[in-house]
Amino acid sequence: MSASSILYTGKTTTTGGREGRSTSDDGQLDLKLSTPGANLPGTNPEQLFGAGWSACFTGAMRHAARAGKIDFPADTTVSAEIDLGLGADGYFLQARLTVSLPGLDRETAQQLIDAAHQTCPYSKATRGNIDVAITLA
């Protein structure tokens, strides 16, 4: 990949691991982190991953809708559930995305979901690496 094809580079630094703090170089992100389920102030990497993927997936569906001349519902939602598990081989992730495209018929909505899953960078990065289920609400 050539440097001219890079559209954006997000730069973050985490200090202290899961009980630390993550910041971005531009100051837009400054988050306290906490271990999942600890009921302490802060978010965790699984929530951050879900937020990033659901936002990206929405953008990929919007792009597919534009290409297909489909009116994209303004109240579209993508809910992400990211599981951190422990198996025989160690820790693993798995994910479920639930998509709501109000006002679209199921066939059109499913077409947008399928197109997004092929083009979304998060979907591409996880394909074949973690179990993923995508459901149309």
Side-chain angles (χ1 to χ4, degrees):
M1 180 176 343
S2 70
S4 63
S5 65
I6 301 297
L7 301 176
Y8 175 76
T9 300
K11 297 177 186 175
T12 59
T13 301
T14 298
T15 304
R18 285 184 174 267
E19 295 82 29
R21 178 164 231 88
S22 287
T23 58
S24 61
D25 69 327
D26 63 3
Q28 294 299 308
L29 179 76
D30 186 350
L31 296 171
K32 170 125 183 64
L33 300 174
S34 64
T35 303
N39 293 322
L40 297 172
T43 189
N44 60 64
E46 291 73 27
Q47 291 170 328
L48 294 170
F49 185 66
W53 193 354
S54 59
C56 186
F57 200 87
T58 301
M61 288 190 300
R62 183 178 290 119
H63 180 77
R66 197 174 313 120
K69 299 186 185 335
I70 298 166
D71 288 332
F72 191 72
D75 51 352
T76 293
T77 61
V78 177
S79 297
E81 295 176 80
I82 309 297
D83 298 324
L84 172 63
L86 181 59
D89 294 332
Y91 292 101
F92 67 90
L93 295 176
Q94 62 186 25
R96 291 172 304 287
L97 302 180
T98 302
V99 180
S100 174
L101 291 155
L104 293 184
D105 63 84
R106 290 193 75 76
E107 182 179 338
T108 302
Q110 191 62 55
Q111 288 173 354
L112 293 181
I113 290 169
D114 293 344
H117 194 46
Q118 292 305 308
T119 61
C120 171
Y122 282 78
S123 291
K124 287 180 179 183
T126 58
R127 189 170 292 116
N129 294 310
I130 69 172
D131 288 336
V132 176
I134 303 175
T135 305
L136 173 61

